[in-house]
Amino acid sequence: MRIVLNTFGSFGDIHPYMAIAKELQSRGHKPVVATMAVYREKIEGAGLEFFPIRPNISQPQQQDSEMLERLMEPRTGPRFLTEKVIFPAVRDSYYDLIEAVAGADLLVTHPAAPAGPLVGRKTGMQWISTVLAPMSFFSAYDAPVPPFWQWTSNFRRLGPRFMKFSLDLMKRPHKAKAVTDFRNEIGLSDYGNPIFEGQHSPTLVLALFSRIFAQPQPDWPPHTEITGFCFYDGRDQTPMPAELERFLADGPPPIVFTLGTSAVWVAHDFFQESIEAAKRLGKRAVLLIGDERNRLPALPKDIIAVNYAPYQSLLPCASVVVHHGGVGTTAQGLLAGVPTLIVPFAFDQSDNAEHTRRVGTSRTLYRKSYRAARVEKELRELIERPEYRQRALEVSQQLQQENGPARAADAIERMLGPTPGRDEELVYAAGD
């Protein structure tokens, strides 16, 4: 079967769909990852079919710093991303995706790619929507923690009726006019706000995270299935740097500081404060700096900086991991079996931090408070209180028993139904 997986965003948005695609490929299907052209080399390098979908956004290092700052601004960044980048391109995205799904048997969509639901509904093809993090459900029973005004999470104690009222008020200004205008133009009826309820397939929604991370809620779409995290970190494509392997072998487990592939472009003094905190603690450290522009001169001998390393190889070697709370990095931190300090920047990162705190493996320190003395204090708690490491190991063991890509592929195959002749073709191919 030909299955198109449409996604958009950073590595944390791309990797889960690559993991599902690899699982589908291993079962004899023909998955296609349809996303921004900048990921062609990465996806084809993994042996997967690629289809380019506009908007064509350049690599962060090729963008001006002002745009990156606007994208990562906690209060206005999400609206800037949707209204200035994603929604104006919905017409181009739609026609690209229409071409991609020609002859396909099923479409899988991403919550930040609004052309997907338009194509699914217009073509009438089999369509599964996905979410990567609990925040995408905007549940009144598990109310999201916003990237600003985090104190509003205290309102949860007032109950789901109050939270629903609050969330409805919050949603009102977000009309997604460019998307709804185009929806009307192509003759589709109103299926709900494309940012919120309109993103979900009426048939099946896959929540690509673990039940350890978030439990089903009464106001989720009733046809939602939790698969578990879908891990992929490209170790086959990008091995661990040799100098980092030598560093890890040469001493006790270090603290790892990383901002993923998005927040790293607005790091500012994050790495300077991190170095000072590690020095105060007398600990070795690894800095994943993302780009040479973040490299600091004259690092102490017990601190190393590299641009990138595969998380599944590096993070289990750490004593503690400090990261920004992107859902991909958060999942990898949970899998690694080490305590984490989460420093949210924007988008769903505050909410991911809160879910991880509830799991019992993590503490949260907001960006504005990220100063060496405070970082030292938080890290000391994580290092010296054994319950954090014990709980992290328990969670890691549970996650290792899950197989998100396989669960997702099972759900996809159930929707596709029996495929006449496919088993015979696979047997023939194996004999050939």
Side-chain angles (χ1 to χ4, degrees), residues 53-55 85-99 114-116 118-119 177-186:
I53 303 292
R54 289 171 286 181
V85 179
I86 297 175
F87 294 165
V90 69
R91 178 186 298 273
D92 291 337
S93 302
Y94 174 84
Y95 286 113
D96 288 346
L97 192 55
I98 283 287
E99 185 178 350
L118 292 170
V119 170
K177 188 174 185 300
V179 180
T180 55
D181 285 352
F182 184 68
R183 178 196 67 203
N184 296 337
E185 181 183 325
I186 61 176

PDB file of all heavy atoms in Angstrom, residues 53-55 85-99 114-116 118-119 177-186:
ATOM      1  N   ILE A  53       6.707  19.495  -0.097  1.00  0.00           N
ATOM      2  CA  ILE A  53       5.470  20.234   0.166  1.00  0.00           C
ATOM      3  C   ILE A  53       5.853  21.652   0.593  1.00  0.00           C
ATOM      4  O   ILE A  53       6.654  21.840   1.507  1.00  0.00           O
ATOM      5  CB  ILE A  53       4.639  19.570   1.288  1.00  0.00           C
ATOM      6  CG1 ILE A  53       4.321  18.112   0.943  1.00  0.00           C
ATOM      7  CG2 ILE A  53       3.361  20.362   1.538  1.00  0.00           C
ATOM      8  CD1 ILE A  53       3.371  17.915  -0.208  1.00  0.00           C
ATOM      9  N   ARG A  54       5.288  22.629  -0.092  1.00  0.00           N
ATOM     10  CA  ARG A  54       5.502  24.013   0.338  1.00  0.00           C
ATOM     11  C   ARG A  54       4.733  24.310   1.626  1.00  0.00           C
ATOM     12  O   ARG A  54       3.770  23.595   1.923  1.00  0.00           O
ATOM     13  CB  ARG A  54       5.072  24.958  -0.796  1.00  0.00           C
ATOM     14  CG  ARG A  54       6.008  24.931  -1.997  1.00  0.00           C
ATOM     15  CD  ARG A  54       5.431  25.702  -3.176  1.00  0.00           C
ATOM     16  NE  ARG A  54       4.336  24.950  -3.805  1.00  0.00           N
ATOM     17  CZ  ARG A  54       3.651  25.364  -4.860  1.00  0.00           C
ATOM     18  NH1 ARG A  54       3.943  26.544  -5.406  1.00  0.00           N
ATOM     19  NH2 ARG A  54       2.685  24.635  -5.371  1.00  0.00           N
ATOM     20  N   PRO A  55       5.176  25.294   2.445  1.00  0.00           N
ATOM     21  CA  PRO A  55       6.196  26.304   2.155  1.00  0.00           C
ATOM     22  C   PRO A  55       7.614  25.741   2.239  1.00  0.00           C
ATOM     23  O   PRO A  55       7.885  24.847   3.042  1.00  0.00           O
ATOM     24  CB  PRO A  55       5.970  27.349   3.255  1.00  0.00           C
ATOM     25  CG  PRO A  55       5.400  26.567   4.396  1.00  0.00           C
ATOM     26  CD  PRO A  55       4.536  25.516   3.765  1.00  0.00           C
ATOM     27  N   VAL A  85       3.563  32.284   8.239  1.00  0.00           N
ATOM     28  CA  VAL A  85       4.344  31.250   7.548  1.00  0.00           C
ATOM     29  C   VAL A  85       3.446  30.136   7.018  1.00  0.00           C
ATOM     30  O   VAL A  85       3.436  29.849   5.821  1.00  0.00           O
ATOM     31  CB  VAL A  85       5.433  30.672   8.486  1.00  0.00           C
ATOM     32  CG1 VAL A  85       6.228  29.572   7.769  1.00  0.00           C
ATOM     33  CG2 VAL A  85       6.364  31.764   8.995  1.00  0.00           C
ATOM     34  N   ILE A  86       2.660  29.504   7.894  1.00  0.00           N
ATOM     35  CA  ILE A  86       1.926  28.298   7.509  1.00  0.00           C
ATOM     36  C   ILE A  86       0.645  28.617   6.743  1.00  0.00           C
ATOM     37  O   ILE A  86       0.428  28.121   5.623  1.00  0.00           O
ATOM     38  CB  ILE A  86       1.599  27.451   8.760  1.00  0.00           C
ATOM     39  CG1 ILE A  86       2.886  26.974   9.437  1.00  0.00           C
ATOM     40  CG2 ILE A  86       0.743  26.252   8.373  1.00  0.00           C
ATOM     41  CD1 ILE A  86       2.650  26.243  10.748  1.00  0.00           C
ATOM     42  N   PHE A  87      -0.224  29.443   7.323  1.00  0.00           N
ATOM     43  CA  PHE A  87      -1.531  29.682   6.707  1.00  0.00           C
ATOM     44  C   PHE A  87      -1.457  30.362   5.339  1.00  0.00           C
ATOM     45  O   PHE A  87      -2.213  29.988   4.429  1.00  0.00           O
ATOM     46  CB  PHE A  87      -2.418  30.493   7.652  1.00  0.00           C
ATOM     47  CG  PHE A  87      -2.791  29.767   8.915  1.00  0.00           C
ATOM     48  CD1 PHE A  87      -3.311  30.455   9.996  1.00  0.00           C
ATOM     49  CD2 PHE A  87      -2.627  28.384   9.032  1.00  0.00           C
ATOM     50  CE1 PHE A  87      -3.662  29.798  11.163  1.00  0.00           C
ATOM     51  CE2 PHE A  87      -2.968  27.710  10.197  1.00  0.00           C
ATOM     52  CZ  PHE A  87      -3.486  28.425  11.264  1.00  0.00           C
ATOM     53  N   PRO A  88      -0.572  31.363   5.144  1.00  0.00           N
ATOM     54  CA  PRO A  88      -0.523  31.976   3.808  1.00  0.00           C
ATOM     55  C   PRO A  88      -0.112  31.001   2.711  1.00  0.00           C
ATOM     56  O   PRO A  88      -0.387  31.250   1.530  1.00  0.00           O
ATOM     57  CB  PRO A  88       0.523  33.094   3.975  1.00  0.00           C
ATOM     58  CG  PRO A  88       0.516  33.409   5.437  1.00  0.00           C
ATOM     59  CD  PRO A  88       0.276  32.102   6.114  1.00  0.00           C
ATOM     60  N   ALA A  89       0.537  29.904   3.084  1.00  0.00           N
ATOM     61  CA  ALA A  89       1.002  28.927   2.091  1.00  0.00           C
ATOM     62  C   ALA A  89       0.029  27.775   1.911  1.00  0.00           C
ATOM     63  O   ALA A  89       0.349  26.804   1.216  1.00  0.00           O
ATOM     64  CB  ALA A  89       2.368  28.389   2.517  1.00  0.00           C
ATOM     65  N   VAL A  90      -1.176  27.854   2.510  1.00  0.00           N
ATOM     66  CA  VAL A  90      -2.060  26.696   2.505  1.00  0.00           C
ATOM     67  C   VAL A  90      -2.481  26.302   1.091  1.00  0.00           C
ATOM     68  O   VAL A  90      -2.617  25.110   0.782  1.00  0.00           O
ATOM     69  CB  VAL A  90      -3.292  26.938   3.405  1.00  0.00           C
ATOM     70  CG1 VAL A  90      -4.228  28.003   2.812  1.00  0.00           C
ATOM     71  CG2 VAL A  90      -4.038  25.640   3.659  1.00  0.00           C
ATOM     72  N   ARG A  91      -2.648  27.265   0.201  1.00  0.00           N
ATOM     73  CA  ARG A  91      -3.018  26.928  -1.184  1.00  0.00           C
ATOM     74  C   ARG A  91      -1.911  26.105  -1.846  1.00  0.00           C
ATOM     75  O   ARG A  91      -2.170  25.052  -2.446  1.00  0.00           O
ATOM     76  CB  ARG A  91      -3.279  28.209  -1.974  1.00  0.00           C
ATOM     77  CG  ARG A  91      -3.630  27.960  -3.453  1.00  0.00           C
ATOM     78  CD  ARG A  91      -3.723  29.294  -4.187  1.00  0.00           C
ATOM     79  NE  ARG A  91      -4.784  30.126  -3.617  1.00  0.00           N
ATOM     80  CZ  ARG A  91      -6.051  30.078  -3.997  1.00  0.00           C
ATOM     81  NH1 ARG A  91      -6.412  29.259  -4.980  1.00  0.00           N
ATOM     82  NH2 ARG A  91      -6.941  30.853  -3.426  1.00  0.00           N
ATOM     83  N   ASP A  92      -0.659  26.578  -1.722  1.00  0.00           N
ATOM     84  CA  ASP A  92       0.468  25.842  -2.292  1.00  0.00           C
ATOM     85  C   ASP A  92       0.602  24.464  -1.647  1.00  0.00           C
ATOM     86  O   ASP A  92       0.820  23.458  -2.342  1.00  0.00           O
ATOM     87  CB  ASP A  92       1.772  26.616  -2.084  1.00  0.00           C
ATOM     88  CG  ASP A  92       1.838  27.894  -2.904  1.00  0.00           C
ATOM     89  OD1 ASP A  92       1.125  27.982  -3.932  1.00  0.00           O
ATOM     90  OD2 ASP A  92       2.607  28.801  -2.524  1.00  0.00           O
ATOM     91  N   SER A  93       0.464  24.420  -0.321  1.00  0.00           N
ATOM     92  CA  SER A  93       0.576  23.144   0.391  1.00  0.00           C
ATOM     93  C   SER A  93      -0.486  22.157  -0.088  1.00  0.00           C
ATOM     94  O   SER A  93      -0.210  20.970  -0.295  1.00  0.00           O
ATOM     95  CB  SER A  93       0.427  23.356   1.902  1.00  0.00           C
ATOM     96  OG  SER A  93       1.386  24.258   2.408  1.00  0.00           O
ATOM     97  N   TYR A  94      -1.693  22.665  -0.275  1.00  0.00           N
ATOM     98  CA  TYR A  94      -2.809  21.815  -0.690  1.00  0.00           C
ATOM     99  C   TYR A  94      -2.547  21.190  -2.063  1.00  0.00           C
ATOM    100  O   TYR A  94      -2.683  19.968  -2.228  1.00  0.00           O
ATOM    101  CB  TYR A  94      -4.088  22.650  -0.719  1.00  0.00           C
ATOM    102  CG  TYR A  94      -5.300  21.930  -1.280  1.00  0.00           C
ATOM    103  CD1 TYR A  94      -6.074  21.108  -0.473  1.00  0.00           C
ATOM    104  CD2 TYR A  94      -5.680  22.085  -2.613  1.00  0.00           C
ATOM    105  CE1 TYR A  94      -7.192  20.458  -0.977  1.00  0.00           C
ATOM    106  CE2 TYR A  94      -6.779  21.444  -3.129  1.00  0.00           C
ATOM    107  CZ  TYR A  94      -7.537  20.623  -2.307  1.00  0.00           C
ATOM    108  OH  TYR A  94      -8.638  19.971  -2.823  1.00  0.00           O
ATOM    109  N   TYR A  95      -2.156  22.013  -3.026  1.00  0.00           N
ATOM    110  CA  TYR A  95      -1.967  21.462  -4.374  1.00  0.00           C
ATOM    111  C   TYR A  95      -0.741  20.555  -4.452  1.00  0.00           C
ATOM    112  O   TYR A  95      -0.741  19.565  -5.204  1.00  0.00           O
ATOM    113  CB  TYR A  95      -1.904  22.594  -5.403  1.00  0.00           C
ATOM    114  CG  TYR A  95      -3.277  23.192  -5.650  1.00  0.00           C
ATOM    115  CD1 TYR A  95      -3.585  24.491  -5.266  1.00  0.00           C
ATOM    116  CD2 TYR A  95      -4.287  22.432  -6.230  1.00  0.00           C
ATOM    117  CE1 TYR A  95      -4.857  25.027  -5.462  1.00  0.00           C
ATOM    118  CE2 TYR A  95      -5.564  22.953  -6.428  1.00  0.00           C
ATOM    119  CZ  TYR A  95      -5.831  24.248  -6.042  1.00  0.00           C
ATOM    120  OH  TYR A  95      -7.096  24.762  -6.230  1.00  0.00           O
ATOM    121  N   ASP A  96       0.293  20.839  -3.667  1.00  0.00           N
ATOM    122  CA  ASP A  96       1.433  19.918  -3.594  1.00  0.00           C
ATOM    123  C   ASP A  96       0.991  18.569  -3.024  1.00  0.00           C
ATOM    124  O   ASP A  96       1.353  17.503  -3.533  1.00  0.00           O
ATOM    125  CB  ASP A  96       2.542  20.493  -2.707  1.00  0.00           C
ATOM    126  CG  ASP A  96       3.268  21.663  -3.345  1.00  0.00           C
ATOM    127  OD1 ASP A  96       3.114  21.872  -4.573  1.00  0.00           O
ATOM    128  OD2 ASP A  96       3.988  22.374  -2.623  1.00  0.00           O
ATOM    129  N   LEU A  97       0.190  18.628  -1.948  1.00  0.00           N
ATOM    130  CA  LEU A  97      -0.226  17.389  -1.296  1.00  0.00           C
ATOM    131  C   LEU A  97      -1.224  16.614  -2.154  1.00  0.00           C
ATOM    132  O   LEU A  97      -1.199  15.369  -2.153  1.00  0.00           O
ATOM    133  CB  LEU A  97      -0.815  17.704   0.080  1.00  0.00           C
ATOM    134  CG  LEU A  97      -1.050  16.512   1.020  1.00  0.00           C
ATOM    135  CD1 LEU A  97       0.229  15.712   1.222  1.00  0.00           C
ATOM    136  CD2 LEU A  97      -1.598  16.995   2.360  1.00  0.00           C
ATOM    137  N   ILE A  98      -2.075  17.319  -2.891  1.00  0.00           N
ATOM    138  CA  ILE A  98      -2.978  16.638  -3.837  1.00  0.00           C
ATOM    139  C   ILE A  98      -2.160  15.811  -4.824  1.00  0.00           C
ATOM    140  O   ILE A  98      -2.502  14.665  -5.152  1.00  0.00           O
ATOM    141  CB  ILE A  98      -3.858  17.673  -4.586  1.00  0.00           C
ATOM    142  CG1 ILE A  98      -5.002  18.167  -3.687  1.00  0.00           C
ATOM    143  CG2 ILE A  98      -4.400  17.095  -5.880  1.00  0.00           C
ATOM    144  CD1 ILE A  98      -6.121  17.157  -3.470  1.00  0.00           C
ATOM    145  N   GLU A  99      -1.061  16.378  -5.301  1.00  0.00           N
ATOM    146  CA  GLU A  99      -0.180  15.644  -6.222  1.00  0.00           C
ATOM    147  C   GLU A  99       0.473  14.462  -5.506  1.00  0.00           C
ATOM    148  O   GLU A  99       0.604  13.370  -6.070  1.00  0.00           O
ATOM    149  CB  GLU A  99       0.889  16.589  -6.772  1.00  0.00           C
ATOM    150  CG  GLU A  99       1.776  15.959  -7.823  1.00  0.00           C
ATOM    151  CD  GLU A  99       2.790  16.937  -8.394  1.00  0.00           C
ATOM    152  OE1 GLU A  99       2.687  18.150  -8.107  1.00  0.00           O
ATOM    153  OE2 GLU A  99       3.700  16.479  -9.118  1.00  0.00           O
ATOM    154  N   PRO A 114      -2.089  22.340   7.968  1.00  0.00           N
ATOM    155  CA  PRO A 114      -3.544  22.401   7.750  1.00  0.00           C
ATOM    156  C   PRO A 114      -3.999  21.952   6.376  1.00  0.00           C
ATOM    157  O   PRO A 114      -5.193  21.710   6.182  1.00  0.00           O
ATOM    158  CB  PRO A 114      -3.859  23.887   7.982  1.00  0.00           C
ATOM    159  CG  PRO A 114      -2.579  24.610   7.706  1.00  0.00           C
ATOM    160  CD  PRO A 114      -1.494  23.680   8.177  1.00  0.00           C
ATOM    161  N   ALA A 115      -3.092  21.825   5.418  1.00  0.00           N
ATOM    162  CA  ALA A 115      -3.509  21.327   4.106  1.00  0.00           C
ATOM    163  C   ALA A 115      -3.915  19.858   4.183  1.00  0.00           C
ATOM    164  O   ALA A 115      -4.730  19.395   3.385  1.00  0.00           O
ATOM    165  CB  ALA A 115      -2.378  21.505   3.085  1.00  0.00           C
ATOM    166  N   GLY A 116      -3.362  19.126   5.150  1.00  0.00           N
ATOM    167  CA  GLY A 116      -3.669  17.702   5.257  1.00  0.00           C
ATOM    168  C   GLY A 116      -5.146  17.413   5.448  1.00  0.00           C
ATOM    169  O   GLY A 116      -5.742  16.644   4.674  1.00  0.00           O
ATOM    170  N   LEU A 118      -7.617  19.318   4.750  1.00  0.00           N
ATOM    171  CA  LEU A 118      -8.323  19.765   3.545  1.00  0.00           C
ATOM    172  C   LEU A 118      -8.272  18.690   2.464  1.00  0.00           C
ATOM    173  O   LEU A 118      -9.290  18.379   1.823  1.00  0.00           O
ATOM    174  CB  LEU A 118      -7.689  21.057   3.020  1.00  0.00           C
ATOM    175  CG  LEU A 118      -7.857  22.313   3.888  1.00  0.00           C
ATOM    176  CD1 LEU A 118      -6.964  23.435   3.366  1.00  0.00           C
ATOM    177  CD2 LEU A 118      -9.312  22.769   3.912  1.00  0.00           C
ATOM    178  N   VAL A 119      -7.092  18.118   2.257  1.00  0.00           N
ATOM    179  CA  VAL A 119      -6.932  17.074   1.239  1.00  0.00           C
ATOM    180  C   VAL A 119      -7.713  15.823   1.638  1.00  0.00           C
ATOM    181  O   VAL A 119      -8.397  15.212   0.806  1.00  0.00           O
ATOM    182  CB  VAL A 119      -5.438  16.752   1.033  1.00  0.00           C
ATOM    183  CG1 VAL A 119      -5.261  15.503   0.162  1.00  0.00           C
ATOM    184  CG2 VAL A 119      -4.727  17.937   0.391  1.00  0.00           C
ATOM    185  N   LYS A 177      -8.081  32.514   9.203  1.00  0.00           N
ATOM    186  CA  LYS A 177      -8.910  33.005   8.103  1.00  0.00           C
ATOM    187  C   LYS A 177      -8.415  32.539   6.737  1.00  0.00           C
ATOM    188  O   LYS A 177      -9.220  32.180   5.865  1.00  0.00           O
ATOM    189  CB  LYS A 177      -8.978  34.534   8.136  1.00  0.00           C
ATOM    190  CG  LYS A 177      -9.973  35.129   7.146  1.00  0.00           C
ATOM    191  CD  LYS A 177     -10.101  36.628   7.328  1.00  0.00           C
ATOM    192  CE  LYS A 177     -11.197  37.194   6.420  1.00  0.00           C
ATOM    193  NZ  LYS A 177     -10.930  36.954   4.992  1.00  0.00           N
ATOM    194  N   ALA A 178      -7.094  32.530   6.534  1.00  0.00           N
ATOM    195  CA  ALA A 178      -6.567  32.105   5.230  1.00  0.00           C
ATOM    196  C   ALA A 178      -6.957  30.663   4.928  1.00  0.00           C
ATOM    197  O   ALA A 178      -7.255  30.306   3.775  1.00  0.00           O
ATOM    198  CB  ALA A 178      -5.043  32.261   5.201  1.00  0.00           C
ATOM    199  N   VAL A 179      -6.988  29.822   5.955  1.00  0.00           N
ATOM    200  CA  VAL A 179      -7.344  28.416   5.758  1.00  0.00           C
ATOM    201  C   VAL A 179      -8.849  28.278   5.527  1.00  0.00           C
ATOM    202  O   VAL A 179      -9.281  27.562   4.618  1.00  0.00           O
ATOM    203  CB  VAL A 179      -6.906  27.566   6.971  1.00  0.00           C
ATOM    204  CG1 VAL A 179      -7.285  26.102   6.757  1.00  0.00           C
ATOM    205  CG2 VAL A 179      -5.405  27.692   7.201  1.00  0.00           C
ATOM    206  N   THR A 180      -9.646  28.955   6.332  1.00  0.00           N
ATOM    207  CA  THR A 180     -11.101  28.823   6.181  1.00  0.00           C
ATOM    208  C   THR A 180     -11.580  29.437   4.863  1.00  0.00           C
ATOM    209  O   THR A 180     -12.502  28.911   4.234  1.00  0.00           O
ATOM    210  CB  THR A 180     -11.836  29.455   7.365  1.00  0.00           C
ATOM    211  OG1 THR A 180     -11.426  30.821   7.514  1.00  0.00           O
ATOM    212  CG2 THR A 180     -11.512  28.714   8.655  1.00  0.00           C
ATOM    213  N   ASP A 181     -10.942  30.530   4.435  1.00  0.00           N
ATOM    214  CA  ASP A 181     -11.302  31.104   3.130  1.00  0.00           C
ATOM    215  C   ASP A 181     -11.007  30.115   2.006  1.00  0.00           C
ATOM    216  O   ASP A 181     -11.823  29.940   1.082  1.00  0.00           O
ATOM    217  CB  ASP A 181     -10.531  32.406   2.891  1.00  0.00           C
ATOM    218  CG  ASP A 181     -11.075  33.566   3.711  1.00  0.00           C
ATOM    219  OD1 ASP A 181     -12.140  33.405   4.346  1.00  0.00           O
ATOM    220  OD2 ASP A 181     -10.426  34.632   3.726  1.00  0.00           O
ATOM    221  N   PHE A 182      -9.848  29.472   2.071  1.00  0.00           N
ATOM    222  CA  PHE A 182      -9.501  28.499   1.033  1.00  0.00           C
ATOM    223  C   PHE A 182     -10.402  27.271   1.119  1.00  0.00           C
ATOM    224  O   PHE A 182     -10.805  26.714   0.088  1.00  0.00           O
ATOM    225  CB  PHE A 182      -8.032  28.103   1.149  1.00  0.00           C
ATOM    226  CG  PHE A 182      -7.577  27.166   0.062  1.00  0.00           C
ATOM    227  CD1 PHE A 182      -7.500  27.593  -1.252  1.00  0.00           C
ATOM    228  CD2 PHE A 182      -7.258  25.849   0.354  1.00  0.00           C
ATOM    229  CE1 PHE A 182      -7.095  26.732  -2.268  1.00  0.00           C
ATOM    230  CE2 PHE A 182      -6.867  24.976  -0.645  1.00  0.00           C
ATOM    231  CZ  PHE A 182      -6.774  25.423  -1.966  1.00  0.00           C
ATOM    232  N   ARG A 183     -10.749  26.865   2.340  1.00  0.00           N
ATOM    233  CA  ARG A 183     -11.681  25.750   2.516  1.00  0.00           C
ATOM    234  C   ARG A 183     -13.007  26.044   1.810  1.00  0.00           C
ATOM    235  O   ARG A 183     -13.551  25.186   1.106  1.00  0.00           O
ATOM    236  CB  ARG A 183     -11.928  25.546   4.019  1.00  0.00           C
ATOM    237  CG  ARG A 183     -12.921  24.437   4.361  1.00  0.00           C
ATOM    238  CD  ARG A 183     -13.391  24.586   5.799  1.00  0.00           C
ATOM    239  NE  ARG A 183     -14.202  25.793   5.970  1.00  0.00           N
ATOM    240  CZ  ARG A 183     -14.388  26.419   7.123  1.00  0.00           C
ATOM    241  NH1 ARG A 183     -13.828  25.966   8.224  1.00  0.00           N
ATOM    242  NH2 ARG A 183     -15.159  27.501   7.177  1.00  0.00           N
ATOM    243  N   ASN A 184     -13.508  27.262   1.981  1.00  0.00           N
ATOM    244  CA  ASN A 184     -14.757  27.636   1.312  1.00  0.00           C
ATOM    245  C   ASN A 184     -14.581  27.657  -0.195  1.00  0.00           C
ATOM    246  O   ASN A 184     -15.487  27.257  -0.944  1.00  0.00           O
ATOM    247  CB  ASN A 184     -15.210  29.009   1.806  1.00  0.00           C
ATOM    248  CG  ASN A 184     -15.553  29.016   3.289  1.00  0.00           C
ATOM    249  OD1 ASN A 184     -15.858  27.972   3.866  1.00  0.00           O
ATOM    250  ND2 ASN A 184     -15.479  30.190   3.910  1.00  0.00           N
ATOM    251  N   GLU A 185     -13.436  28.119  -0.654  1.00  0.00           N
ATOM    252  CA  GLU A 185     -13.161  28.214  -2.093  1.00  0.00           C
ATOM    253  C   GLU A 185     -13.201  26.847  -2.772  1.00  0.00           C
ATOM    254  O   GLU A 185     -13.678  26.724  -3.913  1.00  0.00           O
ATOM    255  CB  GLU A 185     -11.790  28.860  -2.300  1.00  0.00           C
ATOM    256  CG  GLU A 185     -11.391  29.034  -3.747  1.00  0.00           C
ATOM    257  CD  GLU A 185      -9.992  29.619  -3.886  1.00  0.00           C
ATOM    258  OE1 GLU A 185      -9.601  30.447  -3.045  1.00  0.00           O
ATOM    259  OE2 GLU A 185      -9.290  29.226  -4.845  1.00  0.00           O
ATOM    260  N   ILE A 186     -12.719  25.812  -2.081  1.00  0.00           N
ATOM    261  CA  ILE A 186     -12.689  24.481  -2.699  1.00  0.00           C
ATOM    262  C   ILE A 186     -13.962  23.685  -2.395  1.00  0.00           C
ATOM    263  O   ILE A 186     -14.050  22.500  -2.727  1.00  0.00           O
ATOM    264  CB  ILE A 186     -11.442  23.683  -2.283  1.00  0.00           C
ATOM    265  CG1 ILE A 186     -11.405  23.457  -0.770  1.00  0.00           C
ATOM    266  CG2 ILE A 186     -10.175  24.376  -2.770  1.00  0.00           C
ATOM    267  CD1 ILE A 186     -10.237  22.571  -0.305  1.00  0.00           C
TER     268      ILE A 186
END
